Amino acid sequence: MSARSAKPSLKKARISAESSKTSKAAPAPKAKAKTQNAPTLSAKSKGKERADSPVPGLRKQGKTVTKVSDPSSSTSLPTSFKVVCGSYEKLLYGLEGTVSTSSSDYAFHLRPIFIFPAHVSCIKSVAASPQGGKWLATGSADEIIKVWDLRRRKEIGGLMQHQGSVTHLEFPSRSYMLSASEDGTLCLFRARDWAVLRELKGHKGRVNSVAVHQSCKVALSVGQDRTLRMWDLMRGKGSASTKIYKEGELVRWSSDGSLFALQAQNTIDIYSTDMELLHTITHPSRLHDIKFCKRVVGSGELLLAGAEDKKLTVYDIPADHTKPPTVIAEMIGHTNRVKAVDTIRIALPAGAAREETTVVCTISSDGKVRLYDLAALPASSEAQQQEKVQLEPMAEYDTKGTRLTCVTLADGDVGAHAAASGKRKRADDDDEDDDEEGGDLASQQEDEESEGSEVSGGEE
């Protein structure tokens, strides 16, 4: 259904200004003085409080509620996945990733499930909710955040809280979304009704990136004002800030939350949680994206770095933080800069040589989407005895020259144990009842093909 023929459902996508007033007026219990088990910036940082009341909905009966997925639970791993990419040409690409087995070997496959113009300007950020991949959010230079039901391929509506381009989107959990913008603010949304719980102010200029700690209690952000800021998500306020004397472009937490990386130009600074600078990596070319992930074979932390050199470089992060990161592998195949990278753990079909693996997805200005298998990277002890390993792509999709800008991976089908959960089924039924008025992505694609250059869902 084209947005020209019907309006998006505003029952699930309230205009943010009204939602903000509603959430501010809602009474909430007082928060505890400390947020436990969450990192803090060192005493050298200066903290400035932004709000005193806790975020509505993040606390229940005076107790902190923090839902963090258990990555060690193999029963909840998806058996397939979705790749969603944004582009300069305003097109949103949706691909389905599947795995097939032959003898003890396995192969990845990509097929398109939707392609259509989602915004009236270039798409700058995409994010999918974890633990099922129900929600998809897209942010654009048109200052609008579009929300989609990815399972049912329906448009829910547009969030117009920001007064500048949307630079970053992230789902700390499937119940909340955090956005950043060129207007200098971050916004915390509740996915149940897409109300704005908090507007976080503190940056003086564009916010480039935000990263939420795995505890879901704190977040870090960097921006044009050359500061690193920490936000207390339980109270909805800034907790600390420090000058970094360069414009941070990306900030990322490590998998276990014990480190974070700050990227600017061709350098990556690795910090501990007490703001001690451990190492500075100088990459040979301009960086565009970085991502922490765990090894599949063996144990240890990896840092993936996509750059102008047309490849994804894999750095090994030693458990002994006094030792510097080293390059152990390169993922090759692109013919232009690597713009973005994302990863997802999936369960492999019966008969495969292993039960699970981690899929690495890269997009490039060459218009290609490529998948790599992190299980092909040898264990750390083996890698130390070899030269740099070069990993070839396991699958690819060609957009025929589209300039891709951002990518996210979402859960596809889940294992039988998770699918049989009664609670999950009831929640899905409730969601389907709420979303009946949304627009269908596949229908939008058909409408756009028939209407030529008309853009779906882009008008305010």
Side-chain angles (χ1 to χ4, degrees):
M1 179 176 66
S2 172
R4 296 175 64 87
S5 60
K7 295 182 180 179
S9 170
L10 293 182
K11 177 169 63 174
K12 295 288 283 182
R14 300 176 181 176
I15 299 301
S16 57
E18 297 176 0
S19 302
S20 180
K21 293 178 182 178
T22 303
S23 59
K24 288 180 181 178
K30 291 185 178 180
K32 294 180 181 179
K34 282 189 176 181
T35 304
Q36 297 179 354
N37 301 324
T40 57
L41 292 182
S42 65
K44 293 182 290 185
S45 306
K46 296 180 179 179
K48 294 185 179 180
E49 294 189 354
R50 303 296 176 197
D52 294 326
S53 58
V55 176
L58 287 182
R59 305 181 68 84
K60 185 177 181 181
Q61 297 177 353
K63 296 182 180 180
T64 299
V65 179
T66 304
K67 295 183 179 180
V68 181
S69 60
D70 180 10
S72 63
S73 176
S74 60
T75 58
S76 62
L77 290 180
T79 56
S80 64
F81 56 95
K82 294 182 178 69
V83 181
V84 182
C85 310
S87 66
Y88 281 111
E89 288 81 4
K90 313 160 195 175
L91 294 171
L92 188 68
Y93 286 81
L95 312 174
E96 183 180 40
T98 55
V99 188
S100 64
T101 58
S102 175
S103 184
S104 61
D105 202 5
Y106 56 90
F108 296 113
H109 308 279
L110 285 173
R111 71 174 185 89
I113 51 178
F114 60 81
I115 306 169
F116 69 99
H119 289 267
V120 297
S121 191
C122 69
I123 301 172
K124 307 192 75 172
S125 180
V126 290
S129 61
Q131 303 172 24
K134 176 177 174 60
W135 302 117
L136 173 71
T138 58
S140 168
D142 62 12
E143 305 180 1
I144 300 174
I145 301 171
K146 293 285 189 71
V147 181
W148 319 83
D149 185 328
L150 193 53
R151 293 184 202 153
R152 305 185 69 219
R153 304 181 197 175
K154 289 183 178 296
E155 179 181 350
I156 305 303
L159 305 173
M160 292 173 280
Q161 176 71 11
H162 289 295
Q163 304 301 314
S165 298
V166 180
T167 57
H168 193 95
L169 294 168
E170 183 167 347
F171 282 89
S173 71
R174 62 184 179 185
S175 302
Y176 301 95
M177 183 185 73
L178 193 62
S179 64
S181 171
E182 289 188 357
D183 63 11
T185 66
L186 295 89
C187 290
L188 181 63
F189 296 90
R190 181 174 56 206
R192 187 176 70 231
D193 54 4
W194 298 108
V196 182
L197 300 181
R198 281 291 183 268
E199 184 179 41
L200 305 175
K201 297 181 179 180
H203 281 287
K204 296 177 176 62
R206 178 181 63 243
V207 182
N208 292 327
S209 177
V210 59
V212 180
H213 189 262
Q214 63 174 11
S215 67
C216 297
K217 296 179 181 180
V218 297
L220 296 175
S221 64
V222 290
Q224 191 178 26
D225 58 2
R226 300 188 171 193
T227 62
L228 170 69
R229 292 183 177 269
M230 176 175 278
W231 306 92
D232 184 343
L233 298 183
M234 304 306 294
R235 299 183 184 180
K237 68 176 185 179
S239 58
S241 67
T242 186
K243 279 283 186 182
I244 54 176
Y245 303 104
K246 57 184 173 182
E247 182 177 347
E249 297 170 1
L250 286 170
V251 60
R252 297 282 189 266
W253 286 104
S254 63
S255 302
D256 60 3
S258 63
L259 302 171
F260 67 89
L262 193 152
Q263 178 260 322
Q265 297 291 326
N266 68 327
T267 62
I268 305 172
D269 293 334
I270 308 293
Y271 288 89
S272 63
T273 53
D274 60 0
M275 273 302 293
E276 178 187 359
L277 178 59
L278 301 175
H279 304 286
T280 296
I281 301 171
T282 302
H283 199 72
S285 61
R286 175 75 161 81
L287 289 159
H288 291 286
D289 199 8
I290 57 175
K291 173 82 174 179
F292 281 100
C293 67
K294 288 288 188 183
R295 286 179 176 271
V296 175
V297 180
S299 60
E301 188 89 8
L302 300 173
L303 179 61
L304 311 177
E308 287 278 346
D309 55 10
K310 308 174 186 178
K311 56 193 175 186
L312 188 73
T313 303
V314 182
Y315 288 91
D316 177 64
I317 308 296
D320 182 357
H321 294 165
T322 62
K323 296 181 180 179
T326 55
V327 178
I328 58 171
E330 294 173 342
M331 297 181 181
I332 59 174
H334 285 293
T335 58
N336 207 329
R337 66 179 69 87
V338 176
K339 287 289 292 183
V341 58
D342 200 9
T343 63
I344 189 172
R345 287 180 63 218
I346 61 169
L348 295 175
R354 61 180 66 253
E355 292 184 355
E356 62 185 64
T357 189
T358 297
V359 178
V360 179
C361 178
T362 58
I363 61 167
S364 168
S365 296
D366 62 11
K368 301 284 184 67
V369 180
R370 285 185 163 89
L371 301 181
Y372 300 86
D373 184 9
L374 205 57
L377 186 68
S380 56
S381 59
E382 300 174 15
Q384 291 172 359
Q385 301 172 5
Q386 302 176 0
E387 296 294 329
K388 280 188 298 187
V389 179
Q390 288 199 330
L391 303 179
E392 298 282 350
M394 300 286 288
E396 73 172 43
Y397 175 79
D398 190 357
T399 64
K400 307 298 183 183
T402 302
R403 295 172 297 167
L404 301 174
T405 56
C406 49
V407 65
T408 188
L409 299 184
D411 293 354
D413 297 329
V414 296
H417 295 287
S421 169
K423 291 183 180 179
R424 177 68 171 273
K425 185 177 186 302
R426 286 193 296 271
D428 288 347
D429 291 341
D430 293 341
D431 289 335
E432 289 179 7
D433 292 339
D434 290 339
D435 298 342
E436 286 179 353
E437 300 178 16
D440 189 280
L441 298 187
S443 299
Q444 287 193 37
Q445 181 181 350
E446 294 174 2
D447 291 341
E448 292 307 324
E449 291 174 354
S450 63
E451 294 177 10
S453 60
E454 294 178 356
V455 177
S456 67
E459 299 177 359
E460 295 185 27

